[in-house]
Amino acid sequence: MLGCSVIEIMPSNGRLPAELIEAGYRSSQYGLVVFVLNNVTPQAINLVLDPVVRTMPLSIPGVLYIEIGDEQRVRDAITSASIVYFASNALYNLAASYGVSPALVYSDLPPQPNDTAELPAIHRQVPPPETVDWRRHSFHHVFAA
């Protein structure tokens, strides 16, 4: 999984982040994209992606789904990733326990009083999606060390 992009997918207010899911799939044409599923089924992701897949070239490898509870696969993805998108404190704290460098972390999460000791001081807001070059940086991101 070396150099992959990791995106945590979880519902917000009962809805899936369809634009993020679509952007993740579209960016898979540039490299491996891993979706870490947090309270989301692969079938729900597939429903979002079905119309998008039909519009993309057949050469796109697509995305790899990993359940957030699959600690070994999540660890492998995060520790080898070049970009990680955190949508929850659960994945953020897992990354901290795996040794992600605090100097390289970006998150759209507000600081939480129960964050791990390594990362709470480095929370920074990520740029709005419209300012991100989707060909180079596919998501709000964290660069993993």
Side-chain angles (χ1 to χ4, degrees):
M1 285 193 226
L2 190 60
C4 67
S5 298
V6 176
I7 308 172
E8 182 180 16
I9 304 294
M10 65 180 286
S12 176
N13 297 322
R15 300 186 60 175
L16 288 178
E19 289 178 7
L20 181 63
I21 293 167
E22 290 176 22
Y25 179 77
R26 290 181 192 284
S27 70
S28 73
Q29 62 190 318
Y30 304 108
L32 177 62
V33 175
V34 177
F35 283 169
V36 175
L37 306 183
N38 187 344
N39 294 316
V40 176
T41 65
Q43 295 81 5
I45 303 294
N46 290 342
L47 286 175
V48 172
L49 288 180
D50 283 346
V52 177
V53 169
R54 290 190 288 265
T55 67
M56 301 298 292
L58 296 175
S59 61
I60 292 178
V63 294
L64 174 65
Y65 301 153
I66 299 176
E67 296 288 335
I68 196 167
D70 188 339
E71 271 195 52
Q72 185 59 50
R73 292 180 74 203
V74 170
R75 176 190 304 261
D76 291 345
I78 288 175
T79 58
S80 64
S82 58
I83 298 172
V84 179
Y85 171 86
F86 296 102
S88 75
N89 282 314
L91 189 62
Y92 180 79
N93 289 329
L94 280 174
S97 72
Y98 301 154
V100 172
S101 172
L104 302 174
V105 173
Y106 291 82
S107 175
D108 61 354
L109 300 170
Q112 300 293 314
N114 62 347
D115 277 342
T116 63
E118 294 85 8
L119 294 177
I122 53 77
H123 274 283
R124 294 186 291 256
Q125 292 297 322
V126 295
E130 62 274 8
T131 65
V132 176
D133 180 347
W134 293 96
R135 290 165 295 170
R136 293 190 56 236
H137 303 289
S138 303
F139 330 105
H140 297 231
H141 58 276
V142 171
F143 291 97

